[in-house]
Amino acid sequence: MEQQNIRPGYLTAHQTARVLGIGLGGVRQLVRRGQLERAGGTERQPWFAVGDVQALDAKRRARAAA
């Protein structure tokens, strides 16, 4: 279930997965690989900074277009 009490400027793991077009497992892999950093929340319900997610999305799109 998605956490509703999240600070402005942050995304839940579910929202992050939606933005990046991947599943929750993909978000976990990005964190493990050091490509995405948790910005708050808990171990089970992490938050990610909107700017970090947008930057990663732009980087992934640029790589796919090349």
Side-chain angles (χ1 to χ4, degrees):
M1 177 150 70
E2 205 170 312
Q3 185 174 345
Q4 297 299 320
N5 297 328
I6 189 165
R7 298 184 319 188
Y10 295 89
L11 299 172
T12 64
H14 285 92
Q15 292 167 329
T16 299
R18 246 182 269 131
V19 168
L20 297 175
I22 59 177
L24 289 174
V27 173
R28 285 190 293 272
Q29 286 296 321
L30 291 171
V31 171
R32 280 188 206 130
R33 293 178 188 151
Q35 295 175 330
L36 184 62
E37 189 174 322
R38 292 183 178 122
T42 65
E43 185 69 28
R44 292 189 61 127
Q45 294 181 327
W47 301 346
F48 301 94
V50 170
D52 292 347
V53 175
Q54 289 173 336
L56 179 59
D57 186 41
K59 183 177 177 181
R60 290 168 52 97
R61 288 180 189 267
R63 187 178 302 148

